Amino acid sequence: MMNDKRKLTRIAWARRLLSAIVCLAILLQVSFVSAQNNVLTEQAVLKSIVHGQKALITRQGANGAWDSSDRVIGVTALATLAMLNCGMSPDDEPVRKALDYLRSSQEPDDTYEVSLLLMVYAAAKDKDDNGRMRRLVTRLEKSQKSFGPMKGCWSYSTANAIIDTGGDHSNGQFAVLGLFEAAMAGIPVDRKVWENARNHWERAQSGDGGWGYASVGGNDATGSMTVAGIAVQVMTSAMLLDDEKLDPDGNPPCCIKPEVDESLERGLRWMTNHFSVARNPGGGGWKYYYLYGLERAGRLSGRRFFGENDWYRSGARQLIGIQSKRTGLWDPAGNATDTNTATCFALLFLSKGLAPVLINKLKYGPENVRNDDIDDWNRQPNDIRNLTARLTGAEGWPKLMTWQVVDIKQASKDGTVGDINQAPVLYLAGSIRPEFDDRQIEMMREYVNLGGFILAVNNCGTVEFRDGFNELIEKLYPNGETSLQRLTAEHPVYRTEYLLDADSVELWGAEFGCRTAIMYAPDDLACLWNRWLKKEPRDNDGDLIRPAEFSGRIDRAMKVGTNIITYATGREPVNKLKRQELANSGDDESRVSRGLVQIAQIRHTGGWDTAPTAARNILTAVNRTVGLTASTEPATVLLSDEHLFDYSMLVMHGRNGFTTTAAERERLRKYLFRGRLLMADACCGAKPFDRSFRDFMQDLYPERKLERIPIDHELFTSEDLHNLQKVNRRVTVTAQNATLEGGVVNGAPFLEGIKVDGRYVVIYSKHDISCALERQASIACAGYVTDDAVRLSVNIFLYSMLRKGGLVTGQ
C-alpha cells in the first residue's frame, strides 16, 4: 500500500511538472498547431473510410446484394470492390456474402457489370474464379466494336455488338479496366483488342487534348471522360510492348531516344488546365464518378500533381467535407447516381489513393540540355511502374502499392523534403550527367537523413552518368562521410528475397549510418524492367512469343530489383500521408535549439554516430507527445567532458566494439548517482557492440548486472506513458547460402537495465532502436519497428524525468 501511495505521489508530481512545462511551451506551439489545422492527416482519411465502410455494410441485403433501381450485379460488384480496397478480405462475412451472390447469379450481358465482375474476381484472387473470368473476357473481346466510328470501343450491351455501331467512352473505359485487371491476374486477352482500343482512343481525342462521351475528335471534352482516356492510354501501352525490335542477339533497344506518348501528354495537359475536385470539369454532374476516375488516372500515370494541384489531397478534403457526419454516406444529389454508388466511388478514391507510394521516380535535368536528352530521366517509361506491379500483392507486401513521378524542380520550390519523402525509395536513371542545384542536393541529403533510400540505374551503361552520380554523392557528403563501394557477396541485398550471385550482379553502395542508404546499378536493369509483363505473352494459338533467353533476362533483372527494394523497405512501406507527416513532423520542433530539457549523445570508439539523427528524433517525439520544449539539437560529449552533468539524459548506440577508461567509468557513475539515466541500444542488433556494452556495464557496476526489465514495470504500463506490453519487432534469420528469413513478430518488449537504489539508471536494448528512429526499415536490421521504437524512447525519456534531479534546463 505504501509503495502504491509513493507511486501515485510521484505520478502526480510528474503531471504537475509536465503541465508547467506545457504552459511555458504554449507560445511556441500555437503557430505550429494553427498551421496544422488545415493539413489532411492519415487519421482523418482513415476515420472517413471506416465510417463510410460501416454505413455501406448496413445497406447490404440479406442475400448479400445491394439494392439498386437497375444493375444490381454491377452495384454489388462495385460495393464488394470498395470493401476489398478498404482493407477487408474475401473471408469477412459481408464480402463473402457478396461474392456468393455474384457467383451464383446469372452472368450479365451489361458491359458495366461484366467489367466490374472481372475487377472483383481479380481482387478476390480465388483460382476457382478463373473459369468465370475467361468467359467474361471472351464476352468483352467479342463485343468490342469492329467497324464504324466507334471501332475499338464498347456500348452498353455485350450481346448485340456486331450489328450495333454505337458506343461510348464510359462503357469503353470500364471494358478496358476489366480486361486489364484480368490480364494482370493471368487471364489471356487478345492483343488485337488492346490495339483496337488504343487506336480508337487516339482517334477520339479532342483537339484540345481531352475526351468526350461518344464523340470522335470533337471538342466536348469532360473531366470524367478525360481521366478515363488517360487511364486507357496507360493500360493499353503497358499491354502493347513491342518485342519485334529485339536485335539478332535478343537484346531490346535500350539506348534509342525515348518515345513520348503524345496522346497521354495532351490528356495530362488538359487535366492540368481544367483541374477541379468540386465538380466534373465540363460535365456538370457525375462528380463521384469523375473523382473515381481521377484517382485511377493519377495513380496509373504516376502523377501526384496535375500542374500544381495535388489531386489526392484536394479530392480527399472535398470528399471528407461532404460526407454525412451522421450516416457516413455520400449524398448523390445532383450527381446522377444513387447513394450506394456515390459512397462506393468515394471509398474507392479515398482507399486506393491512400495506398503506399513505394517508389518516387525522379524527373530531373539541367536547365540547358540537348533536345534529344529532354526526357533522358524517362528513357524506360514503364520501369518503375512494372517493378511496383511485380511487388504489389506478393507474399509479405501490401496488396496495393503505387509509384509516382516527382519533379525535383517543383518539389524544391518550398525547400522542404516532404514531397520526395512520400516514398521510401527515390529512383533516378539516365544516360547523361545528372545535375542538381544546391537546394535540390540539400533536399536529397535530408531525405536520406530521414530514412530514405536512393537507387540509381545507369541507362546504357555510360561513363557520363556514372561519373556524374559519383559527383552527386561527393556533393551530398562533401566531408567524405561515405562513397560508392562495390557490394560484396556478404551484403544482405544478395539474399533478401532471392539468392543472387554477387559476381554476376554488380551493385555498388554508399553506407550511411545503420545501412546502405544509396545503391547504384551500372547495368541497365531498367531496360529489362520496362519489358516485364505479369504473364508471358502468347499468340492466339497459346504459344509463347518471346525467346526463352530474353524472358530469363527479364526475370533475373526483376529479381535484382525485388531484392533491392526489399532491402530498402523491409516490405513495410507506409501510406503517403503518414510518410509526409513523418517528414514534416520535425520542421517546427527542429527550430527549438535550446529548450528546457537537453540530452547528450556519448562519443565512443564503436560507431557512436551510426544513427546520427536518432537522438534528435527522440526529442522531437517527446515534444509532440507531451508538449515539452526539449532542445532538438542534442549535444555530443565524451564521458570525460566537463559539461557532462549539464544534461538530463545520455544516449548511446553503435555497431562495433569499444573500450572505456577507468576515469570515464567513474565519471559516468557519478553522473548516474545524481539520478540521471543512460539509454543505449545495439544498432541493428550488432553483436560486437552488444558484447562491448555488457563488458562496459560489468566494469561500471561489478556488484550488479544487466537484468531484464519486467513487463509489468511502470516503464511499460504507467498510464502517464505509452502502454507497451506488446510491441512489433523485426527478426532476421539467415543461414549460409540461404535467403534472409524472418519478419515482424508481436510480443513483449525486451529491455534490460541496472538498478541503483531501486531505480533503473541504465536501460539497454540489444535489439535496434536508434536505426528505427531514423525510419529505416531494412529487412537486414533486427530491431523494433519505427512506431514502437519511438514509443519506447519516449517512455524511457519520461521515466528518466520522474527521477530526482532528472530535469536539467539549458544553460
Side-chain angles (χ1 to χ4, degrees), residues 247-259:
D247 68 19
D249 295 325
N251 298 309
C254 294
C255 299
I256 62 173
K257 182 180 181 293
E259 297 180 5

Side-chain angles (χ1 to χ4, degrees), residues 461-472:
T462 66
V463 172
E464 191 176 356
F465 183 87
R466 181 200 67 192
D467 291 347
F469 189 67
N470 271 301
E471 290 176 10
L472 171 62

Side-chain angles (χ1 to χ4, degrees), residues 262-282:
E262 292 291 350
S263 177
L264 175 62
E265 293 301 318
R266 290 175 62 216
L268 293 169
R269 284 196 293 273
W270 191 97
M271 277 306 304
T272 295
N273 295 332
H274 298 83
F275 181 84
S276 173
V277 293
R279 61 184 179 85
N280 175 13

Side-chain angles (χ1 to χ4, degrees), residues 247 366 390 426 433 526 556 607 783:
D247 68 19
R390 161 81 176 240
L426 182 66
R433 184 182 300 275
R556 174 180 177 272

